[in-house]
Amino acid sequence: MLSLTMARHRMLTFLSILLILQNLGLGQYEEPECVSSFHSNYHMLQKIVQLEQKLINLEAENTKQQHLIDRMTTEGAGSVYVRWGRNSCPQDATLVYKGYTGGKYYNEAGSGSDTLCLPSDPTWSNYTDGNASCCRGHVYGSEIHVEEPSKIFPYKVRTQDMPCAVCKTLKSTTLMVPARSNCYPDWKLEYTGYIMANHYVHAGPHNHICVDSQPEFVPNGGEYKLHHLLYLMEAQCGSLPCPPYVQGRELACVVCSL
């Protein structure tokens, strides 16, 4: 299919040739005796200008529609993931929202098992303030518990409260790979970190998350509050084969997109 620019170029070329032939007396058009050659050419040029303007408008509308299609395609595609321990997203990813890592009290049997990324700008539906005596679960902020120096993180992180960021990438699939510090071929790196969850002696279930290897901290944190606690995870040989795993070695993680 010819583009509008090419079609316009061909039309102008055709009209130019027609004018040349007419001036040479070779065209089939015979102007009335009462109309001068100047006026005839003038009116023809007016029509050319009008057609040119219509083509410009049509091309602008076509560009507008193409931009709309591109925007709808971009906004409708992609996938989201949580970057635990950071307030921002990696390059080429868009921040959906940022907030605070949270979950159940470290030794509670209930109150859920997953770690949440709670937004920094909550809104409320119906509510009753004050702790209920029954019929409620609890959500606390998260803090890292590691020995110092940990030799894992590049700076002190013990008892620091953890932020989080929900990120959108244009890639259609995102995947957290435990026990890897880099992505498999053809996958794009989003961020690297370490697998963290609750301590093995603590009651209740707890999911594993990938905390960024260079975590940021919630302002005014750092106190020893013992709320939702995050610990590094070590490989344990037995049912888990060693090698390739190593007894007591901390497990890395990586978030990748494709």
Side-chain angles (χ1 to χ4, degrees):
M1 182 178 293
L2 294 175
S3 67
L4 290 175
T5 302
M6 185 178 295
R8 184 175 64 187
H9 177 72
R10 289 190 176 185
M11 188 194 74
L12 291 175
T13 302
F14 172 77
L15 291 175
S16 299
I17 294 173
L18 183 63
L19 283 173
I20 293 172
L21 292 175
Q22 191 173 321
N23 289 334
L24 292 175
L26 299 177
Q28 295 181 357
Y29 172 74
E30 296 180 1
E31 65 181 41
E33 294 181 358
C34 60
V35 180
S36 67
S37 175
F38 171 80
H39 285 92
S40 175
N41 291 339
Y42 175 75
H43 288 303
M44 185 172 289
L45 286 174
Q46 278 186 318
K47 292 183 178 297
I48 292 173
V49 170
Q50 291 172 357
L51 289 173
E52 172 78 6
Q53 187 59 49
K54 289 182 179 179
L55 283 171
I56 291 174
N57 293 341
L58 192 59
E59 193 170 38
E61 181 63 24
N62 181 64
T63 301
K64 179 180 176 181
Q65 293 297 325
Q66 188 60 51
H67 288 165
L68 179 61
I69 292 172
D70 292 342
R71 183 167 63 86
M72 291 176 65
T73 302
T74 299
E75 291 179 353
S79 56
V80 296
Y81 62 89
V82 180
R83 189 181 190 187
W84 302 104
R86 293 297 292 262
N87 288 303
S88 60
C89 296
Q91 188 177 6
D92 299 329
T94 303
L95 179 68
V96 179
Y97 71 87
K98 62 181 180 178
Y100 314 109
T101 304
K104 73 182 191 71
Y105 195 76
Y106 79 97
N107 66 352
E108 281 183 347
S111 294
S113 61
D114 55 338
T115 301
L116 303 173
C117 184
L118 302 165
S120 58
D121 54 348
T123 59
W124 311 98
S125 295
N126 297 333
Y127 59 87
T128 57
D129 288 336
N131 290 333
S133 59
C134 74
C135 313
R136 300 289 190 273
H138 301 141
V139 175
Y140 297 85
S142 301
E143 58 184 271
I144 287 184
H145 270 226
V146 296
E147 74 284 358
E148 295 292 0
S150 67
K151 300 181 182 179
I152 303 296
F153 295 100
Y155 37 77
K156 291 183 178 181
V157 299
R158 182 174 175 82
T159 70
Q160 290 292 341
D161 299 334
M162 288 290 99
C164 58
V166 175
C167 306
K168 179 182 178 182
T169 174
L170 294 180
K171 302 291 186 179
S172 61
T173 303
T174 53
L175 175 68
M176 190 277 279
V177 184
R180 293 275 301 186
S181 59
N182 55 353
C183 296
Y184 288 105
D186 298 328
W187 288 76
K188 177 182 178 294
L189 173 69
E190 296 294 330
Y191 76 92
T192 61
Y194 296 94
I195 292 291
M196 303 194 79
N198 58 337
H199 197 279
Y200 72 92
V201 301
H202 291 165
H206 202 307
N207 68 325
H208 297 86
I209 63 173
C210 185
V211 176
D212 197 281
S213 58
Q214 298 186 48
E216 298 172 320
F217 310 130
V218 174
N220 303 316
E223 296 180 5
Y224 196 71
K225 293 182 285 288
L226 289 177
H227 287 165
H228 184 253
L229 305 181
L230 297 172
Y231 294 83
L232 293 164
M233 297 291 105
E234 295 179 338
Q236 299 296 303
C237 297
S239 299
L240 186 66
C242 297
Y245 289 89
V246 179
Q247 176 65 33
R249 181 172 293 182
E250 291 80 7
L251 295 173
C253 56
V254 62
V255 174
C256 308
S257 60
L258 180 65

